[in-house]
Amino acid sequence: MFGPSKNKRFNTLTQTLFLWTAFFVWMTGCAGTVQAQTPSQAFDIEIQAPSEVQDYLQRHIELQRYRELTDLDASELARLLTAAERNLQDLLGTLGYFSPEIKLVVQDTPQNPKAARHVLITVQPGEPVKIAEFTLDFTGPITQDEATREQRRAIRANWALRRGMAFTQANWDAAKTQALRQLIAQRYPIGTISASQADIDPDTQTARLSVTLDSGPAYRLGPVQISGTQRYDEQLVTRLAQITQGADYSQSQLLEAQQRLLDSGFFDSAFVSLDTTGNPMAAPVLVQLREAKLQKIVLGVGISTDGGPRLSMEHTHHKVPGIGWQAVSKLSLDRETQSFGTELTAPPDASGWRWATSALFQSQTSGSFEVDSQRYRAGRGQTSERTDRNYYLQYDRAKAYGAGLPTVADALSANYAWTQRNFDSLPFPASGYGLGAELGGGVTLGSSREPYLRVLARWLGIWPLADAQAGTRATMRAGRVALRTEGGMVLARTGAELPSTQLFLTGGDNSVRGYAFRSIGTELPNGAIAAGRYLATGSVEWQRPIVINDKLTDWESTVFLDAGAVADKPSALQAQVGVGAGVRWKSPVGPLQIDLAYGVAVQQLRLHMSVGFTF
């Protein structure tokens, strides 16, 4: 009774489901077809060009901005392609190519008319424009002052674009900027570029360049105007800054004054500038300061291959009650050295000299011995950007643990130390030299009092391997050679009992790489290594920037050869050699040095790491 009615209802339901399923599948297919046929962009771009220009064009061509406009018709696209050709010519012109061959072809997709069109751009840049001649002229008071002849000569000599070099807009702009910077760095702070022209001849592929620098008036330094001080008087600021009224304006002098104020520790920030709105013959020097806190504590964590992990704590009091001197105390602990020192420094006098007294207590591994030492010093010092001078009295006491050395030795000495730095820039020097010397004379204070003389000298020279006329980029890519040497001697009677802290050891990160820290010394009869009376070390190093994709990076590679010796007699000096290679990184805190060295005498590889440049 229920069979026919049930089958009818089943068939009707089946047909209905089938129709709805078919309709859903059809709609899904149509939607998929529409989605597949709707392009995500109006066209894509392919640029075929030499590698030296392809990436640049791909990044900067304006046509890239219109790829997402899917409603572009053929006439609008044709208009964009016409504009794109002019844009490509301008882009190539900035790279020094003024006679390019450019073809733009739109390749349609007949198999799918609604798919994105393909724009093929073929570029033959042609020969680059070369500089045929350049003229650099001056106008203004600089042309009438014979004292500026050297400044004008230096600006012309350092002009970056030379005959025969390829012309690019970037290099042209950089050369003008460099020339202007040299002008305003000395005497003429408001100098300008009054005229410049790059005359390009596409037929001969040559460029004729001309620049005229207008010096404006010469400026002299006038009175110092100080702001931002509360705790310290203006006399301290002027003595630290060391700005000479009436001197010719020098940007480097103001920067050095600014750095001295910061290095003093009294100020968290310092900005020194020239007020050019007034009388050029007495332009005020503006010194804007923000004082540091009266006291501060600095905790430090570090690591080096010489000493291993290091912990330090430093306390500074900028104005000790009662005397007004600056006090700095520091505790430092690592694997090789544990030390505590404190130093009191007076404010500078009118000539920049400062009285100072200090004490240092130290326990250190020296050769085969553990040495506990004390050092007390009192004297005066003068520090500047390029020159340091110090003279002082010093008392040394050292106690060595081990057989073969005097248990305790004392000495009193008078010393003079001098350092000269003539590097082009710090802390990343590319050329220049540094020279330092120490001279001391004293007497031992043991069971017998013996006079002695101590001399130590060190030198570092850095030479670029490319001619400066080749330009900064070529000079940096060629690299440079660094030569370093150090020598010292202590003259005293053979049996004089000298503190080991007045003698010499070498080896480690900044001396002879490939050997442990202070492991090269004189060998005693029992085979132990002790500090000696004569020192000689030397090093030659080739430093070369690392270039990636034809671009200079902040990394450098280096290969080196070190040698050093310590002995109690000059005739006994026998060099121990280390060879190796490494890398350098221009880190925010100074040069990071990582070297792998092989010590020939010990036949071992040793990793060396250090941070910073000091001389």
Side-chain angles (χ1 to χ4, degrees), residues 46-63:
E46 179 186 356
I47 298 179
Q48 295 180 356
S51 58
E52 60 266 23
V53 301
Q54 184 175 19
D55 291 343
Y56 180 79
L57 297 179
Q58 193 78 42
R59 290 195 307 269
H60 297 287
I61 184 173
E62 292 183 358
L63 191 61

Side-chain angles (χ1 to χ4, degrees), residues 291-347:
E291 293 180 342
K293 292 184 177 180
L294 184 61
Q295 298 187 63
K296 67 176 181 179
I297 295 178
V298 178
L299 303 177
V301 178
I303 187 170
S304 71
T305 47
D306 278 347
R310 180 178 64 257
L311 298 174
S312 66
M313 181 175 68
E314 182 176 286
H315 173 263
T316 301
H317 195 304
H318 289 300
K319 197 172 184 180
V320 176
I323 60 175
W325 289 24
Q326 185 182 62
V328 178
S329 301
K330 184 174 182 179
L331 174 68
S332 180
L333 306 172
D334 65 31
R335 183 184 59 213
E336 300 292 334
T337 304
Q338 301 81 47
S339 66
F340 172 76
T342 184
E343 183 174 20
L344 283 168
T345 307

Side-chain angles (χ1 to χ4, degrees), residues 5 83 112 117 139 155 245 266 277 283 293 307 351 356 374 387 391 516 560:
S5 177
N112 188 357
R117 286 159 289 187
T139 186
I155 294 174
Q245 290 192 34
F266 295 112
T277 61
K293 292 184 177 180
S351 300
Q374 304 169 35
T387 305
Y391 60 86
F560 56 85

Side-chain angles (χ1 to χ4, degrees), residues 347-359:
D349 62 17
S351 300
W353 287 90
R354 308 175 72 172
W355 287 101
T357 180
S358 65

Side-chain angles (χ1 to χ4, degrees), residues 161-222:
L161 298 181
R162 299 288 167 178
R163 292 180 179 86
M165 295 177 62
F167 172 87
T168 68
Q169 186 65 42
N171 290 343
W172 170 230
D173 292 339
K176 291 186 291 183
T177 300
Q178 177 185 341
L180 180 60
R181 284 177 178 171
Q182 285 186 268
L183 173 66
I184 65 177
Q186 189 174 358
R187 293 189 179 91
Y188 304 99
I190 63 171
T192 60
I193 298 176
S194 59
S196 68
Q197 182 177 5
D199 184 9
I200 308 298
D201 187 344
D203 295 332
T204 60
Q205 303 296 329
T206 58
R208 290 173 173 80
L209 311 179
S210 64
V211 176
T212 301
L213 298 177
D214 184 353
S215 67
Y219 277 74
R220 294 184 182 274
L221 303 182

